[in-house]
Amino acid sequence: MGDALIWLITNIGLGFYNFFYALSHPLQWLDWSNKEALMRFIYYGASVEFFFVFLDIVIVLTVVGLIWPRVMWACVRGLEGFANGIGRAAAWVGLLMVLQQVVVVFLQSIFRLGTLTFSPAGMGFSQSVGWFTEELKLYNAMIVALCVTYTFVQGGHVRVDLVYSVVKFRTKKVIDMFGSLFFMIPAGILTWLYAWFFLWRNMLTPKVSASDTLDMMLRKASIAKWNVETIGFSPNGFNGYFLFKILMVAFTGLVILHAIAFFFRSLLEFREGEASENKYLDRDQMGVEEDPLHSVH
């Protein structure tokens, strides 16, 4: 128990050092023309060091926010605004998906064409109709991955409620804080650990692994080269499946960030009382309290 506590305190302290070291030496992990810098970026992207840097930032923001609530409200508004901005932009992909599906149906069923060519500004892009058909899966994945936190902010997720609706206001906020800390964040972090290396294993050769040490990855840097996955599920089908892996990482990142925002909002509403409920909340639709279906059980 004592060793675990010492390990925790040591890593929390090292998190501050690693944060400022990374900021003061950006070329050591952002200069991807240097393969060693790229390998450092991959290694630290899902490392213990990165976790404690993230934890330290959250701890500092929480402490400062408890002293000056305006700072915490600013974090809430910023993170929720970011989720809303990403979600509102990604929602337009749904329109693009519908239009492309209509074009594909017309080309296949009416005009019997097998190839579709776009030439904007004289730059030709030609793929089979089957390629564009399978690309619709990417649009669907973009809506799911990038609109998840937007939907959360808007109150659009389905909730199975057995206890929450009948407890007092501050009890609800305790439940929300517990859920964000012990469900949303751990699930997001666990998914990130798998998604991060799942992405990079299909971007580089030799393949990297979560079990690789930093020294091993730096040795691989001497022979590393880009090898982006371009294999489709069918001979002439969509071959940009590495984009799905990028979306998986984006999805988990958005969930983790919004879990922090949700915890901060719940904590502030717990402290300030019912008058602060939904304070600064930017919703595009009726709130739960205004929804005529809310009374239906």
Side-chain angles (χ1 to χ4, degrees), residues 107-119:
L107 290 178
Q108 285 184 325
S109 303
I110 299 177
F111 297 104
R112 302 295 182 181
L113 295 179
T115 303
L116 185 59
T117 301
F118 291 99
S119 299

Side-chain angles (χ1 to χ4, degrees), residues 98-273:
V98 171
L99 294 176
Q100 184 166 312
Q101 180 66 77
V102 171
V103 171
V104 166
V105 169
F106 268 83
L107 290 178
Q108 285 184 325
S109 303
I110 299 177
F111 297 104
R112 302 295 182 181
L113 295 179
T115 303
L116 185 59
T117 301
F118 291 99
S119 299
M123 300 176 61
F125 177 76
S126 182
Q127 292 289 350
S128 68
V129 175
W131 189 95
F132 287 99
T133 301
E134 290 191 9
E135 189 192 17
L136 296 172
K137 299 176 185 177
L138 176 64
Y139 297 152
N140 185 69
M142 290 176 66
I143 295 172
V144 172
L146 301 181
C147 293
V148 59
T149 50
Y150 164 75
T151 307
F152 194 103
V153 173
Q154 300 299 319
H157 285 296
V158 176
R159 168 180 285 175
V160 179
D161 186 2
L162 300 177
V163 177
Y164 191 86
S165 62
V166 297
V167 298
K168 295 180 180 180
F169 176 78
R170 282 190 163 86
T171 305
K172 291 180 180 180
K173 299 301 116 178
V174 171
I175 294 173
D176 290 339
M177 286 187 283
F178 181 86
S180 60
L181 286 180
F182 295 98
F183 289 98
M184 287 182 70
I185 293 178
I189 291 174
L190 184 62
T191 307
W192 177 277
L193 296 177
Y194 283 96
W196 182 257
F197 286 101
F198 184 55
L199 164 65
W200 288 105
R201 287 183 62 189
N202 295 278
M203 300 289 284
L204 294 171
T205 184
K207 294 185 181 299
V208 294
S209 171
S211 60
D212 288 347
T213 63
L214 178 59
D215 289 338
M216 182 181 298
M217 294 183 71
L218 291 177
R219 289 197 296 269
K220 289 181 179 181
S222 60
I223 57 174
K225 62 180 180 179
W226 290 101
N227 185 32
V228 179
E229 179 188 38
T230 57
I231 300 175
F233 289 153
S234 59
N236 295 317
F238 181 70
N239 56 358
Y241 279 94
F242 69 94
L243 297 173
F244 289 91
K245 299 173 178 63
I246 295 176
L247 286 174
M248 189 183 299
V249 173
F251 165 82
T252 54
L254 286 171
V255 169
I256 293 170
L257 288 177
H258 189 66
I260 300 301
F262 188 56
F263 173 78
F264 283 171
R265 172 175 285 281
S266 302
L267 177 58
L268 287 165
E269 292 180 352
F270 176 85
R271 293 184 66 189
E272 299 179 8

Side-chain angles (χ1 to χ4, degrees), residues 57-58 60-62 64-65 68-82 257-258 260-262 264-265 268:
I57 293 173
V58 174
V60 169
L61 289 176
T62 304
V64 173
W68 296 289
R70 287 180 297 177
V71 175
M72 190 174 289
W73 275 121
C75 292
V76 172
R77 295 177 70 181
L79 290 172
E80 289 183 348
F82 179 70
L257 288 177
H258 189 66
I260 300 301
F262 188 56
F264 283 171
R265 172 175 285 281
L268 287 165

